[in-house]
mmCIF file of all heavy atoms in Angstrom:
data_model
loop_
_atom_site.group_PDB
_atom_site.id
_atom_site.type_symbol
_atom_site.label_atom_id
_atom_site.label_comp_id
_atom_site.label_asym_id
_atom_site.label_seq_id
_atom_site.Cartn_x
_atom_site.Cartn_y
_atom_site.Cartn_z
ATOM 1 N N ASN A 32 -26.952 -40.161 18.594
ATOM 2 C CA ASN A 32 -26.512 -39.401 17.426
ATOM 3 C C ASN A 32 -25.492 -40.269 16.691
ATOM 4 O O ASN A 32 -25.272 -41.429 17.066
ATOM 5 C CB ASN A 32 -25.965 -38.014 17.813
ATOM 6 C CG ASN A 32 -24.719 -38.098 18.677
ATOM 7 O OD1 ASN A 32 -23.960 -39.067 18.631
ATOM 8 N ND2 ASN A 32 -24.489 -37.067 19.484
ATOM 9 N N LEU A 33 -24.859 -39.732 15.680
ATOM 10 C CA LEU A 33 -23.975 -40.561 14.855
ATOM 11 C C LEU A 33 -22.730 -41.033 15.606
ATOM 12 O O LEU A 33 -22.050 -41.956 15.169
ATOM 13 C CB LEU A 33 -23.550 -39.787 13.601
ATOM 14 C CG LEU A 33 -24.638 -39.587 12.544
ATOM 15 C CD1 LEU A 33 -24.104 -38.765 11.385
ATOM 16 C CD2 LEU A 33 -25.168 -40.927 12.053
ATOM 17 N N GLU A 34 -22.423 -40.410 16.723
ATOM 18 C CA GLU A 34 -21.201 -40.756 17.457
ATOM 19 C C GLU A 34 -21.469 -41.566 18.718
ATOM 20 O O GLU A 34 -20.527 -42.090 19.321
ATOM 21 C CB GLU A 34 -20.452 -39.467 17.863
ATOM 22 C CG GLU A 34 -20.266 -38.457 16.745
ATOM 23 C CD GLU A 34 -19.449 -39.023 15.597
ATOM 24 O OE1 GLU A 34 -18.579 -39.879 15.849
ATOM 25 O OE2 GLU A 34 -19.708 -38.636 14.443
ATOM 26 N N SER A 35 -22.684 -41.656 19.142
ATOM 27 C CA SER A 35 -22.981 -42.155 20.486
ATOM 28 C C SER A 35 -23.281 -43.656 20.509
ATOM 29 O O SER A 35 -23.351 -44.316 19.479
ATOM 30 C CB SER A 35 -24.201 -41.408 21.033
ATOM 31 O OG SER A 35 -25.369 -41.840 20.352
ATOM 32 N N GLY A 39 -30.487 -49.095 21.743
ATOM 33 C CA GLY A 39 -30.599 -50.458 22.254
ATOM 34 C C GLY A 39 -29.660 -50.714 23.418
ATOM 35 O O GLY A 39 -30.006 -51.424 24.365
ATOM 36 N N ARG A 62 -36.357 -54.433 19.014
ATOM 37 C CA ARG A 62 -36.236 -53.239 18.162
ATOM 38 C C ARG A 62 -37.465 -53.150 17.263
ATOM 39 O O ARG A 62 -37.838 -54.124 16.610
ATOM 40 C CB ARG A 62 -34.995 -53.363 17.282
ATOM 41 C CG ARG A 62 -34.848 -52.264 16.256
ATOM 42 C CD ARG A 62 -33.994 -52.719 15.099
ATOM 43 N NE ARG A 62 -33.766 -51.646 14.153
ATOM 44 C CZ ARG A 62 -34.570 -51.377 13.124
ATOM 45 N NH1 ARG A 62 -35.660 -52.091 12.917
ATOM 46 N NH2 ARG A 62 -34.308 -50.385 12.309
ATOM 47 N N ILE A 67 -40.238 -44.353 7.966
ATOM 48 C CA ILE A 67 -39.174 -43.548 7.358
ATOM 49 C C ILE A 67 -39.862 -42.570 6.407
ATOM 50 O O ILE A 67 -40.473 -42.982 5.418
ATOM 51 C CB ILE A 67 -38.190 -44.440 6.586
ATOM 52 C CG1 ILE A 67 -37.482 -45.415 7.524
ATOM 53 C CG2 ILE A 67 -37.197 -43.600 5.798
ATOM 54 C CD1 ILE A 67 -36.527 -44.781 8.491
ATOM 55 N N TYR A 73 -35.189 -38.060 12.368
ATOM 56 C CA TYR A 73 -34.431 -39.181 12.926
ATOM 57 C C TYR A 73 -32.989 -39.032 12.467
ATOM 58 O O TYR A 73 -32.719 -38.311 11.497
ATOM 59 C CB TYR A 73 -35.011 -40.540 12.498
ATOM 60 C CG TYR A 73 -35.101 -40.737 11.004
ATOM 61 C CD1 TYR A 73 -34.059 -41.322 10.291
ATOM 62 C CD2 TYR A 73 -36.230 -40.319 10.294
ATOM 63 C CE1 TYR A 73 -34.141 -41.495 8.921
ATOM 64 C CE2 TYR A 73 -36.310 -40.481 8.924
ATOM 65 C CZ TYR A 73 -35.271 -41.072 8.247
ATOM 66 O OH TYR A 73 -35.346 -41.229 6.883
ATOM 67 N N THR A 74 -32.086 -39.706 13.146
ATOM 68 C CA THR A 74 -30.673 -39.554 12.843
ATOM 69 C C THR A 74 -30.308 -40.347 11.591
ATOM 70 O O THR A 74 -29.945 -39.777 10.566
ATOM 71 C CB THR A 74 -29.807 -40.010 14.033
ATOM 72 O OG1 THR A 74 -30.249 -39.315 15.194
ATOM 73 C CG2 THR A 74 -28.339 -39.693 13.786
ATOM 74 N N SER A 75 -30.393 -41.657 11.678
ATOM 75 C CA SER A 75 -30.057 -42.469 10.510
ATOM 76 C C SER A 75 -31.076 -43.586 10.267
ATOM 77 O O SER A 75 -31.142 -44.144 9.196
ATOM 78 C CB SER A 75 -28.655 -43.058 10.658
ATOM 79 O OG SER A 75 -28.610 -43.952 11.740
ATOM 80 N N HIS A 76 -31.831 -43.894 11.282
ATOM 81 C CA HIS A 76 -32.897 -44.885 11.158
ATOM 82 C C HIS A 76 -34.023 -44.394 12.055
ATOM 83 O O HIS A 76 -33.861 -43.390 12.759
ATOM 84 C CB HIS A 76 -32.420 -46.271 11.575
ATOM 85 C CG HIS A 76 -31.585 -46.249 12.814
ATOM 86 N ND1 HIS A 76 -32.106 -46.096 14.070
ATOM 87 C CD2 HIS A 76 -30.245 -46.310 12.988
ATOM 88 C CE1 HIS A 76 -31.132 -46.089 14.963
ATOM 89 N NE2 HIS A 76 -29.988 -46.205 14.341
ATOM 90 N N SER A 78 -36.190 -46.177 14.799
ATOM 91 C CA SER A 78 -36.633 -47.371 15.521
ATOM 92 C C SER A 78 -36.635 -47.076 17.008
ATOM 93 O O SER A 78 -35.880 -46.227 17.483
ATOM 94 C CB SER A 78 -35.714 -48.553 15.216
ATOM 95 O OG SER A 78 -34.389 -48.250 15.590
ATOM 96 N N MET A 80 -36.757 -48.939 21.090
ATOM 97 C CA MET A 80 -36.287 -50.129 21.796
ATOM 98 C C MET A 80 -37.138 -50.361 23.035
ATOM 99 O O MET A 80 -37.316 -49.446 23.845
ATOM 100 C CB MET A 80 -34.831 -49.924 22.222
ATOM 101 C CG MET A 80 -33.888 -49.863 21.051
ATOM 102 S SD MET A 80 -33.634 -51.506 20.343
ATOM 103 C CE MET A 80 -32.695 -51.065 18.889
ATOM 104 N N ARG A 183 -37.480 -57.254 16.076
ATOM 105 C CA ARG A 183 -36.404 -58.241 16.191
ATOM 106 C C ARG A 183 -35.782 -58.108 17.568
ATOM 107 O O ARG A 183 -35.689 -57.011 18.112
ATOM 108 C CB ARG A 183 -35.326 -57.978 15.133
ATOM 109 C CG ARG A 183 -35.830 -57.942 13.721
ATOM 110 C CD ARG A 183 -34.683 -57.962 12.717
ATOM 111 N NE ARG A 183 -33.879 -56.773 12.698
ATOM 112 C CZ ARG A 183 -34.062 -55.747 11.850
ATOM 113 N NH1 ARG A 183 -35.045 -55.786 10.974
ATOM 114 N NH2 ARG A 183 -33.260 -54.708 11.881
ATOM 115 N N GLY A 186 -29.443 -58.134 19.715
ATOM 116 C CA GLY A 186 -28.414 -59.150 19.904
ATOM 117 C C GLY A 186 -28.739 -60.410 19.120
ATOM 118 O O GLY A 186 -29.587 -60.409 18.225
ATOM 119 N N TRP A 187 -28.045 -61.475 19.459
ATOM 120 C CA TRP A 187 -28.282 -62.721 18.754
ATOM 121 C C TRP A 187 -28.275 -63.881 19.750
ATOM 122 O O TRP A 187 -27.837 -63.727 20.893
ATOM 123 C CB TRP A 187 -27.237 -62.950 17.658
ATOM 124 C CG TRP A 187 -25.820 -62.933 18.136
ATOM 125 C CD1 TRP A 187 -25.107 -63.961 18.651
ATOM 126 C CD2 TRP A 187 -24.942 -61.793 18.168
ATOM 127 N NE1 TRP A 187 -23.837 -63.551 18.992
ATOM 128 C CE2 TRP A 187 -23.713 -62.235 18.703
ATOM 129 C CE3 TRP A 187 -25.069 -60.457 17.788
ATOM 130 C CZ2 TRP A 187 -22.630 -61.362 18.875
ATOM 131 C CZ3 TRP A 187 -23.985 -59.613 17.961
ATOM 132 C CH2 TRP A 187 -22.783 -60.066 18.488
ATOM 133 N N LYS A 232 -30.444 -64.351 14.550
ATOM 134 C CA LYS A 232 -31.363 -63.373 15.116
ATOM 135 C C LYS A 232 -32.726 -64.024 15.360
ATOM 136 O O LYS A 232 -33.126 -64.931 14.637
ATOM 137 C CB LYS A 232 -31.568 -62.218 14.131
ATOM 138 C CG LYS A 232 -30.345 -61.398 13.836
ATOM 139 C CD LYS A 232 -29.968 -60.501 14.999
ATOM 140 C CE LYS A 232 -30.948 -59.352 15.187
ATOM 141 N NZ LYS A 232 -30.520 -58.457 16.300
ATOM 142 N N PRO A 259 -31.206 -65.805 7.042
ATOM 143 C CA PRO A 259 -30.211 -64.730 7.081
ATOM 144 C C PRO A 259 -30.846 -63.405 7.505
ATOM 145 O O PRO A 259 -32.019 -63.146 7.257
ATOM 146 C CB PRO A 259 -29.716 -64.647 5.635
ATOM 147 C CG PRO A 259 -30.141 -65.905 4.990
ATOM 148 C CD PRO A 259 -31.342 -66.400 5.711
ATOM 149 N N ARG A 260 -30.010 -62.598 8.120
ATOM 150 C CA ARG A 260 -30.436 -61.280 8.596
ATOM 151 C C ARG A 260 -31.122 -60.455 7.502
ATOM 152 O O ARG A 260 -32.101 -59.753 7.744
ATOM 153 C CB ARG A 260 -29.185 -60.552 9.090
ATOM 154 C CG ARG A 260 -29.392 -59.216 9.724
ATOM 155 C CD ARG A 260 -28.035 -58.590 10.000
ATOM 156 N NE ARG A 260 -27.268 -59.314 10.974
ATOM 157 C CZ ARG A 260 -27.238 -59.019 12.267
ATOM 158 N NH1 ARG A 260 -27.941 -58.006 12.727
ATOM 159 N NH2 ARG A 260 -26.484 -59.710 13.096
ATOM 160 N N SER A 261 -30.591 -60.581 6.292
ATOM 161 C CA SER A 261 -31.117 -59.774 5.189
ATOM 162 C C SER A 261 -32.579 -60.101 4.884
ATOM 163 O O SER A 261 -33.277 -59.290 4.273
ATOM 164 C CB SER A 261 -30.267 -59.991 3.938
ATOM 165 O OG SER A 261 -30.179 -61.374 3.637
ATOM 166 N N LYS A 264 -35.558 -58.377 7.624
ATOM 167 C CA LYS A 264 -35.782 -56.930 7.681
ATOM 168 C C LYS A 264 -37.256 -56.583 7.870
ATOM 169 O O LYS A 264 -37.603 -55.561 8.452
ATOM 170 C CB LYS A 264 -35.255 -56.308 6.382
ATOM 171 C CG LYS A 264 -35.081 -54.811 6.439
ATOM 172 C CD LYS A 264 -34.536 -54.289 5.128
ATOM 173 C CE LYS A 264 -34.590 -52.771 5.105
ATOM 174 N NZ LYS A 264 -34.366 -52.229 3.781
ATOM 175 N N HIS B 41 -33.354 -50.501 -1.269
ATOM 176 C CA HIS B 41 -33.179 -51.116 0.056
ATOM 177 C C HIS B 41 -32.653 -52.548 0.036
ATOM 178 O O HIS B 41 -32.237 -53.055 1.078
ATOM 179 C CB HIS B 41 -34.528 -51.144 0.789
ATOM 180 C CG HIS B 41 -35.032 -49.807 1.184
ATOM 181 N ND1 HIS B 41 -36.368 -49.493 1.236
ATOM 182 C CD2 HIS B 41 -34.395 -48.668 1.542
ATOM 183 C CE1 HIS B 41 -36.529 -48.250 1.618
ATOM 184 N NE2 HIS B 41 -35.342 -47.722 1.802
ATOM 185 N N VAL B 42 -32.741 -53.209 -1.106
ATOM 186 C CA VAL B 42 -32.422 -54.644 -1.094
ATOM 187 C C VAL B 42 -31.342 -55.017 -2.104
ATOM 188 O O VAL B 42 -31.253 -56.167 -2.519
ATOM 189 C CB VAL B 42 -33.691 -55.501 -1.323
ATOM 190 C CG1 VAL B 42 -34.609 -55.410 -0.123
ATOM 191 C CG2 VAL B 42 -34.410 -55.107 -2.592
ATOM 192 N N PHE B 44 -28.190 -55.897 -1.991
ATOM 193 C CA PHE B 44 -27.159 -56.258 -1.018
ATOM 194 C C PHE B 44 -25.769 -56.340 -1.652
ATOM 195 O O PHE B 44 -24.782 -55.964 -1.018
ATOM 196 C CB PHE B 44 -27.542 -57.572 -0.322
ATOM 197 C CG PHE B 44 -28.742 -57.410 0.569
ATOM 198 C CD1 PHE B 44 -30.005 -57.753 0.132
ATOM 199 C CD2 PHE B 44 -28.604 -56.872 1.835
ATOM 200 C CE1 PHE B 44 -31.116 -57.576 0.942
ATOM 201 C CE2 PHE B 44 -29.710 -56.681 2.667
ATOM 202 C CZ PHE B 44 -30.963 -57.039 2.209
ATOM 203 N N ARG B 58 -18.260 -47.197 8.755
ATOM 204 C CA ARG B 58 -18.263 -47.348 10.220
ATOM 205 C C ARG B 58 -19.457 -48.200 10.600
ATOM 206 O O ARG B 58 -20.604 -47.793 10.357
ATOM 207 C CB ARG B 58 -18.376 -45.967 10.866
ATOM 208 C CG ARG B 58 -18.129 -45.927 12.347
ATOM 209 C CD ARG B 58 -17.451 -44.620 12.755
ATOM 210 N NE ARG B 58 -18.108 -43.439 12.272
ATOM 211 C CZ ARG B 58 -19.042 -42.774 12.975
ATOM 212 N NH1 ARG B 58 -19.423 -43.191 14.144
ATOM 213 N NH2 ARG B 58 -19.574 -41.681 12.488
ATOM 214 N N ASP B 60 -22.624 -49.752 12.118
ATOM 215 C CA ASP B 60 -23.663 -49.291 13.037
ATOM 216 C C ASP B 60 -23.769 -50.296 14.180
ATOM 217 O O ASP B 60 -23.159 -51.363 14.155
ATOM 218 C CB ASP B 60 -25.005 -49.175 12.282
ATOM 219 C CG ASP B 60 -25.982 -48.233 12.974
ATOM 220 O OD1 ASP B 60 -25.742 -47.866 14.143
ATOM 221 O OD2 ASP B 60 -26.990 -47.860 12.343
ATOM 222 N N VAL B 61 -24.569 -49.970 15.178
ATOM 223 C CA VAL B 61 -24.836 -50.935 16.244
ATOM 224 C C VAL B 61 -25.530 -52.151 15.636
ATOM 225 O O VAL B 61 -26.270 -52.040 14.653
ATOM 226 C CB VAL B 61 -25.689 -50.307 17.361
ATOM 227 C CG1 VAL B 61 -24.889 -49.242 18.092
ATOM 228 C CG2 VAL B 61 -26.979 -49.721 16.825
ATOM 229 N N GLU B 62 -25.284 -53.297 16.246
ATOM 230 C CA GLU B 62 -25.717 -54.575 15.663
ATOM 231 C C GLU B 62 -27.200 -54.620 15.336
ATOM 232 O O GLU B 62 -27.624 -55.171 14.301
ATOM 233 C CB GLU B 62 -25.330 -55.704 16.627
ATOM 234 C CG GLU B 62 -25.816 -57.082 16.246
ATOM 235 C CD GLU B 62 -27.229 -57.375 16.709
ATOM 236 O OE1 GLU B 62 -27.695 -56.740 17.695
ATOM 237 O OE2 GLU B 62 -27.877 -58.218 16.064
ATOM 238 N N GLU B 63 -28.013 -54.037 16.209
ATOM 239 C CA GLU B 63 -29.463 -54.167 15.997
ATOM 240 C C GLU B 63 -29.949 -53.407 14.773
ATOM 241 O O GLU B 63 -31.083 -53.609 14.332
ATOM 242 C CB GLU B 63 -30.246 -53.742 17.244
ATOM 243 C CG GLU B 63 -29.969 -52.338 17.734
ATOM 244 C CD GLU B 63 -28.889 -52.292 18.800
ATOM 245 O OE1 GLU B 63 -28.016 -53.185 18.810
ATOM 246 O OE2 GLU B 63 -28.922 -51.359 19.619
ATOM 247 N N GLU B 64 -29.097 -52.554 14.219
ATOM 248 C CA GLU B 64 -29.496 -51.815 13.030
ATOM 249 C C GLU B 64 -28.926 -52.419 11.745
ATOM 250 O O GLU B 64 -29.138 -51.878 10.667
ATOM 251 C CB GLU B 64 -29.080 -50.343 13.157
ATOM 252 C CG GLU B 64 -29.747 -49.607 14.306
ATOM 253 C CD GLU B 64 -31.272 -49.547 14.201
ATOM 254 O OE1 GLU B 64 -31.798 -49.685 13.084
ATOM 255 O OE2 GLU B 64 -31.933 -49.376 15.243
ATOM 256 N N TRP B 65 -28.211 -53.521 11.866
ATOM 257 C CA TRP B 65 -27.698 -54.180 10.664
ATOM 258 C C TRP B 65 -28.840 -54.866 9.914
ATOM 259 O O TRP B 65 -29.707 -55.491 10.518
ATOM 260 C CB TRP B 65 -26.677 -55.241 11.023
ATOM 261 C CG TRP B 65 -25.378 -54.717 11.568
ATOM 262 C CD1 TRP B 65 -25.058 -53.424 11.904
ATOM 263 C CD2 TRP B 65 -24.216 -55.502 11.856
ATOM 264 N NE1 TRP B 65 -23.788 -53.373 12.386
ATOM 265 C CE2 TRP B 65 -23.249 -54.613 12.373
ATOM 266 C CE3 TRP B 65 -23.914 -56.847 11.733
ATOM 267 C CZ2 TRP B 65 -21.974 -55.060 12.762
ATOM 268 C CZ3 TRP B 65 -22.662 -57.292 12.119
ATOM 269 C CH2 TRP B 65 -21.706 -56.406 12.612
ATOM 270 N N VAL B 66 -28.784 -54.777 8.607
ATOM 271 C CA VAL B 66 -29.770 -55.508 7.802
ATOM 272 C C VAL B 66 -29.115 -56.401 6.751
ATOM 273 O O VAL B 66 -29.788 -57.245 6.160
ATOM 274 C CB VAL B 66 -30.775 -54.562 7.111
ATOM 275 C CG1 VAL B 66 -31.612 -53.822 8.141
ATOM 276 C CG2 VAL B 66 -30.077 -53.567 6.209
ATOM 277 N N ALA B 67 -27.829 -56.207 6.511
ATOM 278 C CA ALA B 67 -27.122 -57.039 5.528
ATOM 279 C C ALA B 67 -26.392 -58.168 6.239
ATOM 280 O O ALA B 67 -26.007 -58.046 7.401
ATOM 281 C CB ALA B 67 -26.136 -56.186 4.738
ATOM 282 N N ASP B 68 -26.201 -59.258 5.521
ATOM 283 C CA ASP B 68 -25.498 -60.398 6.111
ATOM 284 C C ASP B 68 -24.003 -60.140 6.245
ATOM 285 O O ASP B 68 -23.368 -60.593 7.191
ATOM 286 C CB ASP B 68 -25.748 -61.650 5.267
ATOM 287 C CG ASP B 68 -27.226 -61.998 5.202
ATOM 288 O OD1 ASP B 68 -27.910 -61.826 6.234
ATOM 289 O OD2 ASP B 68 -27.688 -62.399 4.130
ATOM 290 N N ASN B 75 -25.197 -51.541 6.603
ATOM 291 C CA ASN B 75 -24.870 -51.708 8.018
ATOM 292 C C ASN B 75 -24.048 -50.547 8.567
ATOM 293 O O ASN B 75 -23.526 -50.634 9.676
ATOM 294 C CB ASN B 75 -24.092 -53.009 8.246
ATOM 295 C CG ASN B 75 -24.920 -54.239 7.967
ATOM 296 O OD1 ASN B 75 -26.136 -54.159 7.845
ATOM 297 N ND2 ASN B 75 -24.262 -55.385 7.863
ATOM 298 N N ARG B 77 -23.068 -46.862 9.987
ATOM 299 C CA ARG B 77 -23.636 -45.825 10.853
ATOM 300 C C ARG B 77 -23.946 -44.555 10.063
ATOM 301 O O ARG B 77 -24.784 -43.747 10.468
ATOM 302 C CB ARG B 77 -22.623 -45.511 11.962
ATOM 303 C CG ARG B 77 -23.148 -44.665 13.114
ATOM 304 C CD ARG B 77 -23.949 -45.524 14.043
ATOM 305 N NE ARG B 77 -24.638 -44.791 15.083
ATOM 306 C CZ ARG B 77 -24.244 -44.766 16.356
ATOM 307 N NH1 ARG B 77 -23.176 -45.410 16.742
ATOM 308 N NH2 ARG B 77 -24.945 -44.116 17.265
ATOM 309 N N LEU B 78 -23.249 -44.368 8.959
ATOM 310 C CA LEU B 78 -23.380 -43.119 8.206
ATOM 311 C C LEU B 78 -24.428 -43.192 7.097
ATOM 312 O O LEU B 78 -24.526 -42.270 6.293
ATOM 313 C CB LEU B 78 -22.013 -42.716 7.624
ATOM 314 C CG LEU B 78 -20.938 -42.471 8.683
ATOM 315 C CD1 LEU B 78 -19.590 -42.190 8.030
ATOM 316 C CD2 LEU B 78 -21.333 -41.310 9.587
ATOM 317 N N ARG B 79 -25.167 -44.293 7.038
ATOM 318 C CA ARG B 79 -26.267 -44.318 6.067
ATOM 319 C C ARG B 79 -27.546 -43.852 6.770
ATOM 320 O O ARG B 79 -27.837 -44.227 7.891
ATOM 321 C CB ARG B 79 -26.474 -45.706 5.437
ATOM 322 C CG ARG B 79 -26.721 -46.854 6.385
ATOM 323 C CD ARG B 79 -28.120 -47.176 6.687
ATOM 324 N NE ARG B 79 -28.220 -48.266 7.633
ATOM 325 C CZ ARG B 79 -28.149 -48.112 8.939
ATOM 326 N NH1 ARG B 79 -27.961 -46.908 9.473
ATOM 327 N NH2 ARG B 79 -28.274 -49.166 9.749
ATOM 328 N N ARG B 80 -28.235 -43.000 6.082
ATOM 329 C CA ARG B 80 -29.519 -42.524 6.622
ATOM 330 C C ARG B 80 -30.614 -43.037 5.714
ATOM 331 O O ARG B 80 -30.695 -42.658 4.549
ATOM 332 C CB ARG B 80 -29.546 -40.999 6.703
ATOM 333 C CG ARG B 80 -30.801 -40.456 7.368
ATOM 334 C CD ARG B 80 -30.741 -38.929 7.508
ATOM 335 N NE ARG B 80 -31.762 -38.426 8.415
ATOM 336 C CZ ARG B 80 -33.024 -38.128 8.054
ATOM 337 N NH1 ARG B 80 -33.404 -38.271 6.799
ATOM 338 N NH2 ARG B 80 -33.888 -37.685 8.943
ATOM 339 N N TRP B 81 -31.436 -43.898 6.259
ATOM 340 C CA TRP B 81 -32.485 -44.509 5.448
ATOM 341 C C TRP B 81 -33.472 -43.462 4.950
ATOM 342 O O TRP B 81 -33.803 -42.509 5.658
ATOM 343 C CB TRP B 81 -33.254 -45.564 6.254
ATOM 344 C CG TRP B 81 -32.453 -46.769 6.612
ATOM 345 C CD1 TRP B 81 -32.039 -47.135 7.866
ATOM 346 C CD2 TRP B 81 -31.954 -47.772 5.723
ATOM 347 N NE1 TRP B 81 -31.320 -48.309 7.801
ATOM 348 C CE2 TRP B 81 -31.249 -48.718 6.507
ATOM 349 C CE3 TRP B 81 -32.019 -47.973 4.344
ATOM 350 C CZ2 TRP B 81 -30.630 -49.838 5.961
ATOM 351 C CZ3 TRP B 81 -31.400 -49.088 3.797
ATOM 352 C CH2 TRP B 81 -30.716 -50.012 4.594
ATOM 353 N N THR B 82 -33.923 -43.661 3.737
ATOM 354 C CA THR B 82 -35.012 -42.860 3.176
ATOM 355 C C THR B 82 -36.097 -43.833 2.715
ATOM 356 O O THR B 82 -35.885 -45.057 2.734
ATOM 357 C CB THR B 82 -34.527 -42.032 1.980
ATOM 358 O OG1 THR B 82 -34.086 -42.931 0.939
ATOM 359 C CG2 THR B 82 -33.377 -41.109 2.368
ATOM 360 N N ALA B 83 -37.216 -43.288 2.292
ATOM 361 C CA ALA B 83 -38.313 -44.164 1.862
ATOM 362 C C ALA B 83 -37.893 -45.042 0.690
ATOM 363 O O ALA B 83 -38.291 -46.204 0.595
ATOM 364 C CB ALA B 83 -39.528 -43.328 1.492
ATOM 365 N N LEU B 89 -24.059 -40.112 4.762
ATOM 366 C CA LEU B 89 -23.751 -38.924 5.556
ATOM 367 C C LEU B 89 -22.250 -38.713 5.706
ATOM 368 O O LEU B 89 -21.819 -37.811 6.432
ATOM 369 C CB LEU B 89 -24.389 -39.038 6.942
ATOM 370 C CG LEU B 89 -25.909 -39.236 6.973
ATOM 371 C CD1 LEU B 89 -26.399 -39.361 8.417
ATOM 372 C CD2 LEU B 89 -26.618 -38.086 6.283
#
Side-chain angles (χ1 to χ4, degrees):
Chain A
N32 64 26
L33 288 178
E34 312 299 329
S35 72
R62 174 204 184 271
I67 297 292
Y73 57 91
T74 307
S75 65
H76 43 76
S78 59
M80 293 286 172
R183 304 192 292 265
W187 56 86
K232 296 287 289 182
R260 185 186 295 265
S261 54
K264 195 179 170 193
Chain B
H41 291 148
V42 291
F44 292 98
R58 191 146 51 92
D60 202 347
V61 292
E62 174 275 336
E63 57 266 27
E64 297 299 338
W65 291 7
V66 296
D68 299 322
N75 294 346
R77 192 79 187 255
L78 299 175
R79 56 93 182 84
R80 185 176 194 274
W81 293 111
T82 63
L89 303 179

